[in-house]
Amino acid sequence: QVQLVESGGGSVQAGGSLRLSCAASGDTSSINSMGWFRQAPGQPRVGVAAVRTDISKTYYPDSVKGRFTISQDNAKNTVYLQMDNLEPEDTDIYYCAAGRRRYASTSLFYPFAYDFWGQGTQVTVSS
């Protein structure tokens, strides 16, 4: 089992930045990928960034490319999501996820690619 704990959410004005953290514990050696998702009330979770932790390769959907950056600190078993130039439309709950199975990069933006989830952290961007 893997446990994920997110932190770093909060409120910021449009154009500002936030950095989310996701600390993993437990059987972290089994993890091949980690991702960040966002979810609005009543909507499905949508991937905003992913990293193949075994090869340190990152992936982004076009919607956030150039604004969001995912990074990993293997020594701390922690993944970060740096979010810059935030927009009110980025307001959501953000979730961290970890996966043990290997998928094609395009699949890493979908919840089915992950086995473990954090509790979520609220991000609010005001105009």
Side-chain angles (χ1 to χ4, degrees):
Q1 291 291 317
V2 174
Q3 295 78 43
L4 303 174
V5 178
E6 299 122 334
S7 60
S11 298
V12 65
Q13 289 193 325
S17 299
L18 282 174
R19 189 177 82 155
L20 307 182
S21 300
C22 175
S25 61
D27 186 17
T28 57
S29 63
S30 67
I31 298 173
N32 287 312
S33 58
M34 293 192 72
W36 284 97
F37 287 74
R38 59 194 289 178
Q39 186 174 28
Q43 299 297 317
R45 291 183 184 181
V46 177
V48 296
V51 57
R52 279 279 306 273
T53 55
D54 52 346
I55 59 175
S56 298
K57 194 165 184 180
T58 59
Y59 308 93
Y60 305 93
D62 289 342
S63 58
V64 304
K65 203 170 286 185
R67 297 193 303 124
F68 289 10
T69 304
I70 188 170
S71 60
Q72 59 183 97
D73 184 331
N74 292 332
K76 297 181 179 180
N77 287 324
T78 299
V79 169
Y80 304 96
L81 182 68
Q82 177 68 39
M83 304 185 293
D84 298 318
N85 195 21
L86 283 163
E87 305 165 352
E89 293 74 23
D90 294 317
T91 296
D92 271 328
I93 298 176
Y94 285 71
Y95 295 89
C96 171
R100 294 181 296 189
R101 296 158 287 177
R102 288 187 175 88
Y103 285 97
S105 59
T106 52
S107 296
L108 296 178
F109 300 133
Y110 295 90
F112 71 77
Y114 299 90
D115 304 288
F116 306 100
W117 294 84
Q119 80 284 1
T121 185
Q122 177 71 47
V123 171
T124 303
V125 185
S126 59
S127 57

